[in-house]
Amino acid sequence: MKKLLLLTFLSLFLLTSCNSTVEKEAKKDAFVADNYTKKEVNIVMRDGTKLHTTIYSPKDTSKEYPILMQRTPYSSAPYGDGKMKTKIGPNVHLMKELNIVVYQDVRGRWMSEGVYDNMRAYLPNKTDKQSDEVSDTYDTIDWLVKNVENNNGNVGTWGISYPGHYATISTIDAHPALKAASPQACIGDFFFDDFHHNGAFMLSYFRAISLFGTYKDTPTDSAWYSFPKMDSEDQYQFFLDKGPLKNLNEYFQNDKLDVKTAENNDSIDDFFWKELVEHPNYDSVWQSKGIIQHLDKVPSTVATMIVGGEFDAEDLYGPLSTYKAIEKNGKDNYNTLVFGPWDHGKWSRNTVENYVGNYYFGDSISLKFQSDVETKFFNHFLKGNGDKNSGLPEAYVFDSGKKEWNSFDTWPPKNVVKQDWFLSENQELTSDKKATEKINFISDIKHPVPYSEDIKTVFTPRKYMTDDQRFAARRPDVLVFETDVLTDDFTLAGDILAKLKVATTGSAADWIVKVIDVHPADAEENNDKLQDHLKMGNYHLMVRSEVLRGRFRNSFEHPEPFIPNKKTDVNITLQDVFHTFKKGHKVQVQVQSTWFPLIDLNPQTYVDNIYKADEKDFKTQTHTVFTDSSIEFSVLK
């Protein structure tokens, strides 16, 4: 009887606890519906195109509020009366403090009119009826401040990834009401972000292409695109079996997709894939879409906070280049950088433990950013006096080795010195140049170096940015150079320049350089989410990596072949790091020529357009790295 009563009590307790949790979650999700009203409008642009815009306004109309706006290609859904988002704004604090929050479908996406062009070119000398994303943003802000009740006349913009790009756009020739903008993980230039890295095609983004390139010219609240069906869990083998890039054209013909959107039966229907195929070099098409070169047009009346992840696989170039371009061109601009231990957009999530892939960086890092940095930034410039004394540092950057934040007056810091470390023989990374020797390796196109131990098919890769690199170090086609065990901490702060001296028996090659933190054998096992086959002891943490398609070594606009067997300079800029290699660790550099299927295979014989290369163009070659090659580190003193 006692046992029965105990079981009944436990059942009631668990049921009550469960109901309480459900009620708390429901109450939390009901905050927007309880405190905001939603209105959907179509705002007419100067060329007559109507852009669908959703406005969340506080029900309390006794005071005025700033407007926080995000323009997005990813939908401002849910659409329709009575349907509301459960979370709005950059973070929960700004949502609960009450602001007017606006979402807009950009031109040609979802419920907005027009035809989409990802990274639509900026037109600096528009006529009255011409439009671009800059004018669309200006016209939208102008309408909002004139027509939305209870706004205080101050507007802020924010967004992550593509929406981050549109936040950058908002700062150019900005509307006077725009006071603060936070581009986050923002695209800067499509030849260096996302789908390209230094001209190499990011094959791992293959499945994302139709998301941006499927034609649509009428508003819709339903998906009009369809993702290619790969029918494989082995991404490496799938692309190896497919062979040359031109064999992927079939996935971008509408009659092969689940959703048929056009009657066009050309060999390529997807306009983004067609753009990639027809423009393999950094020509006027890609140059016109880049936004970095136009950031001299950001007025000092707009405060900017650029946010990036140190291990962001999608957009690492963009945030750093955006910050530096505004810093370079702005005469009196408030411009700050936040660079933390995150992958793509993780700073916006409400998780306590901060991991990137297998690597643990600490607790509450994202939560503290949201409460102590992001909220403070927007409140100061939209609700406060908006002067330059925001209480935030110029650069707030996380040391991914020591796992701690640091504040700097400039980025990179002033007390940085450049040091060359040489890729010496006997697998040594040395501070002194030794005898110049040749180190050869065979780059076999049938067995390219994988970018990860995980062979599963993913939509876009992220985890690899902190992956353990021991699997690669054990291959004969990956050259390894390593210091002795460090007797003092060694801190890098800024960019890294690989100054390779190379040769190849072919006329084309890619070059990949990775900088790795080799942990000691007795490293603390502090990560219960580590994959089962790994331990932190001797973990090879990839700190930074980059590829250069060798044909672009002298010019991204005018490619050129290698002269077989001729010693040639290849310089590769690796994006900024802030990382301390701690005492007891080692610094390692890996050099390789394939990175599959993160990037596509280089034929290793020169062709004008790799997207149109034939099977016969692909040849195994022998590559050489000379030991007077060096890595230029930015060392913090």
Side-chain angles (χ1 to χ4, degrees):
M1 184 66 177
K2 287 181 179 179
K3 189 174 181 181
L4 181 61
L5 286 170
L6 180 60
L7 288 171
T8 303
F9 173 77
L10 285 171
S11 298
L12 286 170
F13 175 77
L14 290 171
L15 182 62
T16 303
S17 299
C18 184
N19 287 340
S20 175
T21 301
V22 170
E23 286 171 7
K24 285 178 181 177
E25 288 299 315
K27 190 172 182 181
K28 185 169 67 174
D29 289 344
F31 184 88
V32 177
D34 290 345
N35 293 276
Y36 287 85
T37 59
K38 188 187 87 165
K39 182 179 182 181
E40 295 180 53
V41 298
N42 289 315
I43 301 177
V44 182
M45 301 294 102
R46 62 188 64 182
D47 65 349
T49 302
K50 296 175 183 176
L51 302 189
H52 188 86
T53 309
T54 302
I55 304 164
Y56 290 86
S57 297
K59 289 181 178 179
D60 180 359
T61 58
S62 64
K63 58 183 79 170
E64 293 182 336
Y65 305 94
I67 296 171
L68 280 165
M69 181 177 73
Q70 180 182 108
R71 302 184 67 241
T72 178
Y74 295 132
S75 176
S76 58
Y79 304 105
D81 293 340
K83 297 179 180 178
M84 304 181 76
K85 292 179 182 291
T86 57
K87 294 178 182 177
I88 59 173
N91 63 53
V92 67
H93 308 287
L94 290 164
M95 176 182 80
K96 290 187 173 181
E97 289 175 8
L98 301 184
N99 289 276
I100 298 167
V101 181
V102 175
Y103 294 89
Q104 183 179 75
D105 294 335
V106 297
R107 182 179 293 248
R109 299 294 287 186
W110 298 94
M111 290 295 288
S112 285
E113 294 179 349
V115 175
Y116 182 64
D117 183 352
N118 43 358
M119 292 202 76
R120 190 166 151 220
Y122 165 65
L123 304 173
N125 300 304
K126 291 180 284 292
T127 64
D128 289 343
K129 296 295 182 182
Q130 281 185 311
S131 64
D132 55 16
E133 297 300 339
V134 168
S135 67
D136 282 356
T137 310
Y138 189 104
D139 294 350
T140 298
I141 292 175
D142 197 60
W143 189 94
L144 291 171
V145 295
K146 291 176 180 176
N147 292 278
V148 176
E149 295 180 356
N150 300 107
N151 83 80
N152 71 358
N154 294 335
V155 177
T157 56
W158 95 98
I160 296 171
S161 196
Y162 259 106
H165 167 67
Y166 294 110
T168 306
I169 288 285
S170 73
T171 67
I172 297 171
D173 300 337
H175 191 285
L178 183 67
K179 303 300 182 186
S182 184
Q184 304 180 4
C186 45
I187 306 161
D189 191 306
F190 255 161
F191 215 66
F192 306 99
D193 274 317
D194 280 316
F195 296 93
H196 294 111
H197 273 217
N198 290 326
F201 172 57
M202 302 300 285
L203 182 59
S204 47
Y205 287 67
F206 161 73
R207 292 183 67 201
I209 287 169
S210 59
L211 178 62
F212 305 109
T214 306
Y215 184 81
K216 178 186 83 71
D217 62 0
T218 55
T220 180
D221 62 359
S222 302
W224 63 98
Y225 48 82
S226 177
F227 300 120
K229 287 187 174 181
M230 296 172 66
D231 295 324
S232 173
E233 291 303 313
D234 187 339
Q235 188 185 42
Y236 183 99
Q237 196 63 45
F238 172 84
F239 285 115
L240 201 61
D241 291 344
K242 282 296 176 184
L245 285 177
K246 69 177 187 177
N247 292 342
L248 298 177
N249 288 350
E250 64 175 306
Y251 291 95
F252 303 105
Q253 297 165 358
N254 292 323
D255 59 349
K256 302 286 179 69
L257 297 174
D258 293 338
V259 179
K260 191 171 182 180
T261 58
E263 297 306 317
N264 181 339
N265 289 318
D266 291 344
S267 59
I268 301 174
D269 294 318
D270 186 287
F271 61 80
F272 185 38
W273 179 243
K274 186 178 291 186
E275 195 167 53
L276 290 164
V277 167
E278 296 300 332
H279 300 278
N281 307 324
Y282 191 50
D283 59 15
S284 60
V285 169
W286 299 119
Q287 291 174 31
S288 70
K289 290 173 179 285
I291 205 65
I292 300 301
Q293 63 267 36
H294 301 299
L295 294 179
D296 58 346
K297 301 173 181 68
V298 179
S300 60
T301 52
V302 180
T304 49
M305 181 177 72
I306 317 302
V307 183
E310 292 168 334
F311 300 96
D312 188 340
E314 280 96 320
D315 299 298
L316 184 59
Y317 167 87
L320 291 165
S321 298
T322 299
Y323 167 77
K324 291 175 182 178
I326 295 174
E327 201 66 16
K328 176 183 176 182
N329 294 300
K331 294 181 176 61
D332 195 30
N333 292 61
Y334 178 96
N335 180 40
T336 188
L337 172 70
V338 181
F339 199 37
W342 300 300
D343 62 18
H344 195 60
K346 188 167 280 186
W347 51 89
S348 68
R349 298 179 199 158
N350 294 323
T351 51
V352 173
E353 296 173 313
N354 275 100
Y355 295 90
V356 177
N358 280 302
Y359 206 81
Y360 169 70
F361 288 101
D363 286 350
S364 303
I365 297 171
S366 300
L367 299 177
K368 288 178 180 177
F369 160 73
Q370 293 168 35
S371 61
D372 299 349
V373 180
E374 186 175 46
T375 299
K376 191 173 186 176
F377 169 77
F378 279 116
N379 281 344
H380 180 75
F381 290 102
L382 300 182
K383 293 180 179 177
N385 63 23
D387 64 13
K388 290 185 168 48
N389 298 315
S390 68
L392 297 172
E394 169 70 20
Y396 192 47
V397 187
F398 191 87
D399 185 328
S400 53
K402 286 187 174 179
K403 301 181 182 179
E404 62 186 28
W405 288 100
N406 283 255
S407 298
F408 298 101
D409 295 332
T410 62
W411 183 262
K414 293 175 183 174
N415 51 331
V416 163
V417 297
K418 301 290 187 179
Q419 289 184 4
D420 280 319
W421 287 71
F422 292 89
L423 308 185
S424 299
E425 59 182 335
N426 299 320
Q427 300 187 340
E428 292 182 333
L429 183 64
T430 62
S431 57
D432 297 320
K433 183 164 65 171
K434 299 186 177 181
T436 301
E437 305 288 346
K438 295 179 180 182
I439 306 176
N440 298 329
F441 66 96
I442 296 171
S443 182
D444 183 350
I445 24 207
K446 296 294 184 183
H447 300 92
V449 180
Y451 74 94
S452 173
E453 281 184 295
D454 294 334
I455 60 171
K456 61 180 179 290
T457 298
V458 294
F459 187 70
T460 54
R462 291 183 180 175
K463 184 182 86 52
Y464 85 94
M465 291 289 282
T466 59
D467 265 353
D468 181 27
Q469 296 300 306
R470 277 174 285 189
F471 76 95
R474 292 163 180 163
R475 287 183 57 114
D477 48 359
V478 177
L479 303 186
V480 177
F481 305 90
E482 193 173 82
T483 64
D484 293 331
V485 174
L486 298 174
T487 55
D488 295 294
D489 287 355
F490 181 64
T491 300
L492 306 185
D495 64 2
I496 299 168
L497 179 63
K499 298 186 283 192
L500 301 184
K501 316 285 186 181
V502 300
T504 174
T505 55
S507 52
D510 292 334
W511 299 96
I512 295 100
V513 173
K514 299 183 289 191
V515 177
I516 293 157
D517 183 341
V518 179
H519 290 43
D522 61 353
E524 180 186 359
E525 298 293 341
N526 61 355
N527 182 358
D528 60 2
K529 291 186 173 60
L530 200 66
Q531 286 178 283
D532 290 342
H533 68 286
L534 293 172
K535 297 291 183 184
M536 288 312 301
N538 205 40
Y539 193 92
H540 283 38
L541 171 69
M542 190 164 74
V543 174
R544 186 60 75 237
S545 56
E546 194 54 278
V547 58
L548 177 73
R549 180 134 284 172
R551 63 178 54 213
F552 298 121
R553 65 194 178 277
N554 295 319
S555 168
F556 289 108
E557 190 174 359
H558 302 293
E560 57 188 286
F562 286 93
I563 298 173
N565 300 311
K566 180 180 179 181
K567 186 176 181 180
T568 306
D569 289 346
V570 173
N571 293 333
I572 308 172
T573 300
L574 284 69
Q575 301 302 330
D576 293 19
V577 299
F578 183 36
H579 185 88
T580 295
F581 295 81
K582 295 165 74 174
K583 177 183 176 180
H585 291 224
K586 292 187 283 187
V587 183
Q588 183 184 99
V589 172
Q590 293 182 5
V591 180
Q592 59 200 62
S593 195
T594 51
W595 211 12
F596 193 74
L598 186 70
I599 61 170
D600 64 309
L601 275 180
N602 192 315
Q604 303 192 136
T605 57
Y606 188 86
V607 294
D608 288 335
N609 187 338
I610 291 177
Y611 294 92
K612 298 180 179 181
D614 295 317
E615 188 82 44
K616 62 179 175 57
D617 297 318
F618 290 76
K619 304 286 186 186
T620 291
Q621 304 288 357
T622 297
H623 299 326
T624 301
V625 173
F626 294 86
T627 57
D628 53 345
S629 300
S630 62
I631 307 293
E632 182 186 270
F633 290 129
S634 301
V635 182
L636 186 65
K637 291 296 185 180

